């Protein structure tokens, strides 16, 4: 309990939940009135939200507002430069304290620090908490005190340093403050449905309650086989928690702990749990890397790639974006992304590799398309993974390892379920030809109703030629392939 009876502003950002929310919990436990606030500041942090992110945010704010209303403290929505809005609401409510969960992306981190310093100069207390990562960036260091640049030792150190989780149940009864003006979410026009490009997105998947259900379902049904199914895009074998983790509808601590509990209660083995927990580890690794190497988001982590002879080819880029490359596995992935706002991880690797290696288009073009179209678009995970695929990142796949989109298809979508779902014009082709329709005998294609160049494109590049050209470009940097 604090001696200061004035209300506390809880500034929500990417922590759109009540449970396991340290900023909210501290404010509620103080016994003071709480003013939950969300500020839409589109000019902040250097990069506007992508379209799919705005769609998710709108739905997630609806869910959060409902949960907060039930608990007794309505969510206040305001738009404008964050510091000015905070000052406005502090003045209107008589609050003298702002509690927030930190963001660790470099621009957001610096902006938060500047705002906190400016408010503290005026005797406003600002408290920051970590609600988005298992460990605060900077806390996992090598023996010499520097940041890890390789995943496995980072992960080992992370696991060794994990303490016991702190349980923070969702507050059910929050002392709110009446009479604070709020804007209407609908007036923000985050997603106006014209045209309705998000018709295929799943609104039922958004929000804290949906995330909790998804985690439960995943642990009970899919965790056991995650290690074997996670690479099969035709099977719903992964958690689909990425947008919920990005927007903070669920905490990584809760995910980690419930998976660990599943080992304790015998639902899965430690090995089965580890296959999944390592992926949560990759999320941490990405966030820590970006925090410590701010240019990761738009500059090659390995400077030797600065001289890479990227091609500028708007037609090829457009064909990739629309899922019209003539490579079924690539096209299926890009169409899944456009239709649902999400893409399976194995296919993300295949389409990214195709863009940077087969088409030799700069990874930043792909990163930016993903930024706009993914519901889980995340600065750290997106840039880290694009650089991983491009070969320019930390602990990256070597550039000369070039995915063959046909063999990736036959290996990971053997029965063609994934390609048939997203590229229905090929669905009558036999499995044998499904991933390389141009190799099918003419009569097989005719029987399946496939006319190359008419009903489905011919490949926009030849795999073997593209591979040789990519390797030659790589060698031009002075590397041996
Ligand atoms: P699961 O397999 O169930 O994994 C559980 C969680 O672990 C995920 O929700 C995610 O938070 C984390 N995770 C899994 N794989 C990775 C990974 N390789 N890197 C970092 N975290 C991981 N993920 C994003 O969240 N946002 C992005 O913007 C993003 N961009 C990507 C771009 C490319 C080119 C590639 C290859 C991968 C990208 N990923 C990104 C990582 C990964 O594809 C997604 O996190 C995953 O597919 C989400 O599905 P899921 O929740 O079912 O994952």
């Amino acid at each position: 309990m604090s001696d200061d009876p004035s209300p506390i502003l809880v500034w929500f950002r990417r922590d759109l939940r009540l449970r396991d929310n340290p900023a909210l919990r501290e404010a509620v436990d103080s016994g003071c009135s709480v003013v939950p606030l969300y500020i839409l500041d589109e000019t902040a942090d250097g990069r506007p939200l992508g379209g799919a992110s705005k769609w998710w945010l709108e739905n997630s704010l609806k869910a959060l507002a409902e949960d907060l209303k039930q608990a007794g403290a309505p969510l206040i929505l305001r738009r404008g430069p964050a510091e000015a809005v905070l000052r406005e609401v502090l003045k209107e409510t008589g609050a003298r304290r702002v509690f927030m969960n930190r963001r660790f992306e470099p621009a957001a981190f610096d902006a938060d620090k500047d705002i906190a310093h400016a408010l503290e100069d005026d005797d406003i207390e600002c408290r920051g908490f970590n609600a988005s990562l298992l460990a605060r960036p900077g806390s996992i260091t090598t023996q010499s005190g520097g940041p890890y640049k390789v995943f496995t030792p980072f992960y080992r150190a992370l696991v060794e340093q994990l303490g016991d989780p702190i349980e923070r149940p969702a507050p059910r009864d929050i002392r709110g403050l009446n009479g604070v003006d709020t804007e209407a979410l609908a007036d923000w026009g985050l997603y106006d449905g014209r045209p309705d490009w998000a018709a295929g997105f799943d609104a039922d998947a958004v929000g804290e309650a949906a995330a909790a259900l998804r985690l439960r379902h995943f642990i009970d049904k899919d965790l056991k086989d995650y290690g074997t199914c996670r690479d099969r895009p035709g099977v719903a074998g992964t958690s689909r928690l990425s947008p919920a983790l990005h927007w903070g509808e669920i905490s990584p601590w809760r995910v980690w702990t419930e998976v660990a509990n599943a080992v304790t209660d015998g639902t899965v083995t430690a090995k089965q749990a580890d296959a999944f927990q390592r992926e949560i580890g990759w999320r941490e690794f990405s966030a820590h890397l970006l925090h410590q190497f701010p240019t990761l988001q738009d500059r090659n982590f390995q400077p030797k790639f600065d001289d890479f002879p990227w091609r500028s080819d708007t037609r090829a880029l457009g064909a990739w974006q629309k899922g019209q490359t003539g490579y079924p596995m690539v096209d299926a992935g890009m169409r899944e992304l456009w239709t649902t706002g999400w893409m399976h991880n194995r296919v993300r690797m295949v389409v990214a590799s195709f863009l940077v290696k087969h088409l030799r288009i700069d990874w930043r073009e792909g990163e930016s398309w993903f930024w706009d179209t993914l519901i889980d678009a995340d600065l750290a995970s997106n840039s880290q993974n694009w650089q991983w695929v491009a070969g320019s990142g930390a602990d990256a796949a070597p550039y000369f390892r070039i995915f063959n989109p046909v063999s990736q298809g036959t290996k990971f979508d053997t029965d063609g379920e994934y390609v048939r779902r997203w590229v229905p014009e090929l669905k009558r082709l036999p499995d044998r030809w499904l991933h390389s329709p141009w190799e099918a005998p003419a009569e097989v294609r005719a029987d399946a109703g496939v006319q190359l160049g008419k009903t489905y494109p011919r490949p926009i590049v030849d795999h073997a030629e593209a591979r040789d050209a990519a390797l030659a470009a790589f060698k031009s940097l002075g590397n041996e392939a």
Side-chain angles (χ1 to χ4, degrees):
M1 287 277 184
S2 149
D3 294 338
D4 184 349
S6 65
I8 299 175
L9 297 196
V10 176
W11 181 16
F12 281 86
R13 288 93 65 77
R14 289 218 315 276
D15 50 347
L16 305 180
R17 64 176 184 267
L18 271 59
R19 184 171 172 176
D20 298 324
N21 186 325
L24 177 65
R25 180 38 75 183
E26 287 283 317
V28 170
D29 288 352
S30 73
C32 299
S33 309
V34 173
V35 181
L37 172 68
Y38 186 89
I39 303 172
L40 182 67
D41 181 357
E42 293 195 80
T43 58
D45 316 331
R47 193 174 195 183
L49 289 175
S53 292
K54 287 187 184 170
W55 177 90
W56 191 282
L57 175 63
E58 174 161 309
N59 285 286
S60 194
L61 285 174
K62 272 186 208 156
L64 178 71
E66 187 52 38
D67 292 346
L68 282 167
K69 192 167 103 192
Q70 296 294 331
L75 178 65
I76 306 302
L77 300 172
R78 295 281 175 97
R79 193 169 19 174
E83 188 188 331
V85 173
L86 284 168
R87 287 186 183 280
E88 204 174 87
V89 182
L90 284 162
K91 198 163 158 213
E92 286 168 28
T93 58
R96 312 281 319 149
R97 284 167 291 174
V98 178
F99 290 2
M100 62 182 117
N101 294 310
R102 288 199 182 90
R103 300 171 300 169
F104 295 105
E105 293 88 349
F109 187 79
D110 290 347
D112 288 353
K113 224 168 36 183
D114 290 348
I115 290 176
H117 285 155
L119 294 179
E120 277 159 6
D121 284 347
D122 292 327
D123 285 334
I124 302 295
E125 185 195 349
C126 289
R127 289 184 60 193
F129 303 84
N130 170 22
S132 59
L133 294 171
L134 295 174
R136 201 173 34 76
S139 65
I140 309 286
T141 54
T142 61
Q143 288 199 333
S144 57
Y148 281 100
K149 296 183 194 165
V150 178
F151 173 71
T152 301
F154 167 87
Y155 182 63
R156 214 177 290 132
L158 171 75
V159 174
E160 267 166 25
Q161 288 183 31
L162 286 181
D164 289 331
I166 302 172
E167 269 291 314
R168 294 188 181 91
R172 292 284 162 235
D173 193 8
I174 306 177
R175 233 178 103 190
L177 196 69
N178 290 326
V180 188
D181 284 346
T182 180
E183 295 175 21
L185 186 56
D187 291 345
W188 284 2
L190 285 169
Y191 174 69
D192 70 5
R194 286 187 309 252
D196 192 5
W197 51 265
F201 290 19
D202 181 5
D204 292 341
V206 186
E208 181 173 5
L213 276 177
R214 194 170 272 269
L215 175 64
R216 197 64 264 148
H217 175 90
F218 173 70
I219 291 176
D220 292 344
K221 299 266 185 312
D222 302 321
L223 178 57
K224 193 160 42 65
D225 299 320
Y226 177 80
T228 45
C229 289
R230 60 181 293 260
D231 273 323
R232 312 203 72 84
V235 174
T238 67
S239 73
R240 298 275 193 132
L241 283 168
S242 49
L245 280 164
H246 171 76
W247 289 105
E249 295 167 351
I250 197 162
S251 82
W253 263 114
R254 183 156 173 218
V255 176
W256 185 274
T257 310
E258 293 202 15
V259 168
N261 291 345
V263 178
T264 315
D265 69 21
T267 308
V268 296
T269 64
K271 195 168 166 223
Q272 288 165 337
D274 183 59
F276 176 75
Q277 286 174 320
R278 281 179 79 82
E279 300 309 318
I280 301 293
W282 271 102
R283 176 178 180 272
E284 286 291 301
F285 183 54
S286 307
H288 286 230
L289 266 182
L290 177 63
H291 186 75
Q292 277 147 336
F293 301 98
T295 58
L296 180 79
Q297 69 186 67
D298 53 9
R299 300 246 300 271
N300 295 308
F301 189 80
Q302 298 179 38
K304 71 176 180 195
F305 276 84
D306 291 351
D307 294 325
F308 193 87
W310 298 115
R311 290 170 60 243
S312 165
D313 184 340
T314 44
R315 274 183 66 179
L317 179 62
W320 178 81
Q321 290 169 335
K322 290 193 207 88
Q324 295 288 343
T325 66
Y327 283 92
M329 193 68 167
V330 174
D331 294 342
M334 297 309 291
R335 296 181 195 186
E336 177 181 34
L337 173 63
W338 182 254
T339 309
T340 68
W342 184 86
M343 193 199 299
H344 190 279
N345 181 60
R346 166 61 47 185
V347 196
R348 291 188 202 203
M349 292 195 283
V350 172
V351 304
S353 171
F354 189 84
L355 186 79
V356 295
K357 296 180 183 176
H358 287 74
L359 302 180
R360 274 178 293 126
I361 291 179
D362 195 326
W363 62 266
R364 282 159 283 223
E365 290 283 1
E367 193 275 347
S368 128
W369 182 253
F370 272 29
W371 179 258
D372 198 25
T373 52
L374 274 174
I375 49 175
D376 63 22
D378 179 273
L379 201 56
S381 291
N382 204 26
S383 49
Q384 191 281 122
N385 276 288
W386 271 96
Q387 293 225 43
W388 185 89
V389 175
S392 61
D395 200 7
Y399 183 86
F400 56 79
R401 202 173 292 155
I402 296 176
F403 279 132
N404 177 336
V406 176
S407 52
Q408 287 287 307
T410 50
K411 185 164 176 200
F412 296 111
D413 185 37
T414 315
D415 58 8
E417 183 155 347
Y418 182 70
V419 160
R420 289 197 175 89
R421 188 179 317 150
W422 295 109
V423 192
E425 63 268 38
L426 298 179
K427 77 174 173 225
R428 286 166 46 216
L429 271 182
D431 291 354
R432 178 165 174 210
W433 312 111
L434 186 65
H435 292 285
S436 53
W438 63 91
E439 288 177 337
E443 62 278 13
V444 172
R445 281 203 302 264
D447 278 356
V450 175
Q451 287 178 281
L452 289 183
K454 285 201 175 134
T455 62
Y456 185 69
R458 294 178 198 285
I460 58 170
V461 284
D462 173 77
H463 168 67
E465 284 170 17
R467 186 173 186 282
D468 289 349
L471 292 177
F474 183 62
K475 274 194 193 153
S476 75
L477 300 178
N479 297 291
E480 277 312 306

